[in-house]
Amino acid sequence: MVTGGEEDEEPAGEEIDARAGLETVPIEASDPTPPLGTDSGEEGRRELVESVYGPLSEFYERIDARLREVPEDVPPVGWAPHIAALRALRDGRVVGDWDVLARFLVAPGALDDTDPLRLVEVPEGDEAGVVREAVRELTAADGRALLVAPTREKAAELLRTMEGDPEIFSLLIETLPETAESGSVATRAMPPVEKEPAPPVREPGSNGTIEFKPLVDVPAADASPSGATRAEPLPTPPAMEPAVPEEGPSAPETRVRSAALRPVGEAWRLSWQTEVRLLRRGLMWLEQWPRDAAALQAVQSENLRRAERLEVEKAGLSAAIGEARDAAGAAEEAAAAAEAEAERLTGVQEEAEAELVEPRAEAQRLKQAADEAGAEANTLTRTADAAYARCVQMDERAKTAQAELQGARQAEASLTDELTRAREALPGAAEEAHRLTAADADAAAEGHAAYYRLVSAESALAAQRRKMSLGQRLHVASPPSELRSLRAEVKTRTREADEAASRAREAREAAEQAERLRRGLASFVSEGGARLKAAQEAQERLGTELAWLAAEREKAGAEHREQARLASESVERATEAGLRARAAHQAAQAIEERVNTARTSREEALSAAARARADAEAAAANAAESAAALARLTEEGAQEMTSWEAELETLTQTEARSRENVREICGADPADDPEAVPTHQRRAMARIEELTGYMEGGRAVGSEVLLRTADLVVGTPAGAGLTVGDEEFDALIVADAGAVTDGEFLIGAVRARRWILVGTAGARPPGYREYAGEPSGRLEESPFERALTAAPGR
């Protein structure tokens, strides 16, 4: 078992929680050694429980009675929840297996792996992941969990890791006033419940003091377990910091006066949103009947308007038939006039076409000559451009070769200098690498020796622990005098081993660095000669290439100048030929424009005649079509009347179905009882407004509903005692269990069927001044820590 303390040994066997990746510590049954020397079956355990927790109950009753001696308008919660939980354990009134719970508290070594109890030991600060996985496992199996933490801040921190889960209905128990040692708790919680505060429900205890009401077999009306109801409004405390006396801080039970349940997370909102959607769907059914009734009335009115419109359309078609016949006669007269004008324009077009033949042939001949001259000029220009491009290419290559030659010369000079320095530095680097390698070996030997000394010290400490008696292990008797010195020696050997390992690591890194430097120098010396020779050969090759480029550049320049002269002369000839061809084309174009004008006018006249003929035919067709449309309209009108009557019948049936839906929702016919629909709508809207207030934070939720439907209730032990009453849970999860006392653990434990404790080894409950003189030592060490101590190394 690996814990956070310096005294823990290496475990012989570990069980790893597969879900959380953390180490769990089951309490095994092999070789049990019950604390206090009593383990003789159930009857013996009952006597042991009574002997341990009877004095603790009396102690709680005494300090609770002292707290009540000062009368207050709103008394603090005190230790009544602790007293009631201890009484329930002593009387056997627990929800889960009493025998397992009793063995865990007074004889943890007698438990085995099959018991419904699990201890999870985690490093400090890692409780949230284990708690979250445990809650998810419970809710996946439809279980309910009570999660308690030593402080309200720890409870709120754990709940914040789960409040975004839409599958978990979570409640946060908030207590007021806040403790003097803590600030406010920030969660996305909803408002607290709003109820009138109930009077305290208490009854005399066995020692004549006040006792908390029993947890089980209590009627629902009397289930409130303390001076505050399970869901009281939180009174506003005076704005002042409570004083902390010099002898130590005061217990939270002396300051907490009330508690309230707050729903936290998205699960509540999603549930309320579903109910709102169902209510709105019902409102839509209620709104549908007035629309169907209005639609039926509208169709009846529309059918009347359609019949009137049909008669108007028939009259319009009769008038259109007469107008179409008049338009056909006018169009025939216009077509005859347009055909005569087209005949005259045909003669004008033929005269202009005869005049155009000769100028058009001359323009085509000159254009062909200009095209040939232009093609020749383009060919010569491309040749000159190619010669110029070759000259530019040679110039660029000459610049590149010159730069490469200069680079080769510089590389030769640099390599010569660097090779000289590398050959001089190589012997020193080899000597330094050899020295550091020897230092590395010495440091490694020193580290091994320190490790063996540490193992020897740890073995001595383990042997001393095995010699300890049961009372020494339970911290009842004083530990051996040698134990402290052995622990100090283990610490010293651990520190020496760490320092030796650090020195060995530094020596190894220095040796590796020196070896890398030596190898780099050797590699450079072996490869530098080849690189120097390559640089010299590059200089010879580039010098030869520059001489060749200079000769070729002179030849290419002369060729470019000759090609440029020929291209210039060809361009001038092509320009002159183009001017002559353009003048001939303009003369032919003037005659062609006259031909086109005559042709266009003739075509327009023919088009006008065709349009007039078409208009005459269209007018005649319109007249015939209007007559046919009048006949169709008469026939279709009769068919539409039949369709309208069918539509009216459909709407009548739809309105009847809507009215039946309203009757089922409201319990009355809306036609007979006009107020039935508005009354039901007001009730539904009021419920929607109430649920919306819950979701927006403007309205409080009833505590009975919260406790009945919540999957997870989170708070401090005192807050749980004030609010959960006689609710039963499938599991109790205790976070930071090392800081929770027996009485605080039992407040939730007697209400649960299973128990999961998550904590860090070495944690202890806080020491409050009210706990001075506690008789049994149960307020100085948690049951979680005692269970770990009872099974060392397991």
Side-chain angles (χ1 to χ4, degrees), residues 535-579:
Q536 294 171 349
E537 292 176 351
Q539 292 181 49
E540 296 177 0
R541 176 179 54 79
L542 291 171
T544 303
E545 183 178 0
L546 284 172
W548 177 82
L549 286 173
E552 289 296 319
R553 177 62 178 83
E554 183 64 26
K555 295 178 183 178
E559 182 180 355
H560 169 254
R561 289 191 292 273
E562 177 63 20
Q563 294 295 334
R565 181 183 64 77
L566 295 176
S568 176
E569 294 175 353
S570 178
V571 167
E572 291 178 357
R573 291 194 297 271
T575 302
E576 293 175 357
L579 292 174

Side-chain angles (χ1 to χ4, degrees), residues 352-590:
E353 288 176 349
E355 184 181 354
L356 179 61
V357 173
E358 185 175 350
R360 178 179 290 172
E362 180 63 16
Q364 291 177 350
R365 184 184 64 80
L366 293 175
K367 182 177 182 305
Q368 183 178 2
D371 291 343
E372 293 174 354
E376 182 182 1
N378 288 336
T379 301
L380 293 174
T381 300
R382 285 194 296 272
T383 303
D385 291 342
Y388 177 74
R390 187 164 179 270
C391 292
V392 171
Q393 183 179 8
M394 288 183 177
D395 291 341
E396 292 295 329
R397 177 55 191 158
K399 292 179 182 179
T400 303
Q402 187 66 37
E404 292 177 354
L405 179 61
Q406 183 65 25
R409 291 171 179 170
Q410 294 176 355
E412 179 184 5
S414 175
L415 285 171
T416 302
D417 185 44
E418 291 177 359
L419 279 172
T420 301
R421 291 198 303 271
R423 290 189 180 98
E424 294 173 354
L426 182 58
E431 182 180 355
E432 179 66 12
H434 179 72
R435 184 186 66 79
L436 290 175
T437 300
D440 178 23
D442 295 341
E446 181 183 354
H448 286 301
Y451 173 74
Y452 294 138
R453 288 193 295 272
L454 172 60
V455 171
S456 176
E458 288 178 342
S459 299
L461 177 59
Q464 184 61 44
R465 283 181 175 172
R466 285 192 294 271
K467 296 176 182 179
M468 291 171 60
S469 64
L470 176 61
Q472 290 174 333
R473 293 183 182 181
L474 294 177
H475 303 283
V476 176
S478 300
S481 58
E482 298 85 355
L483 186 63
R484 184 180 299 276
S485 60
L486 289 174
R487 290 174 180 169
E489 183 179 0
V490 168
K491 291 181 180 179
T492 301
R493 297 307 182 189
T494 301
R495 185 174 59 255
E496 291 176 353
D498 291 342
E499 292 174 355
S502 177
R503 289 192 298 272
R505 182 170 57 255
E506 293 174 357
R508 183 171 59 257
E509 292 175 354
E512 291 174 352
Q513 179 65 24
E515 179 61 21
R516 285 195 296 271
L517 177 61
R518 185 196 65 77
R519 292 176 181 174
L521 289 173
S523 175
F524 180 76
V525 168
S526 63
E527 297 175 0
R531 292 168 58 188
L532 180 62
K533 182 177 180 181
Q536 294 171 349
E537 292 176 351
Q539 292 181 49
E540 296 177 0
R541 176 179 54 79
L542 291 171
T544 303
E545 183 178 0
L546 284 172
W548 177 82
L549 286 173
E552 289 296 319
R553 177 62 178 83
E554 183 64 26
K555 295 178 183 178
E559 182 180 355
H560 169 254
R561 289 191 292 273
E562 177 63 20
Q563 294 295 334
R565 181 183 64 77
L566 295 176
S568 176
E569 294 175 353
S570 178
V571 167
E572 291 178 357
R573 291 194 297 271
T575 302
E576 293 175 357
L579 292 174
R580 292 193 296 270
R582 189 178 299 110
H585 177 71
Q586 291 174 352
Q589 190 174 14

Side-chain angles (χ1 to χ4, degrees), residues 155-163 170-172 264 712 714:
E157 177 187 351
L158 293 171
L159 185 54
R160 275 194 293 270
T161 65
M162 295 175 282
E163 62 183 354
S170 304
L171 293 180
L172 175 64
V264 178
L712 176 66
V714 183

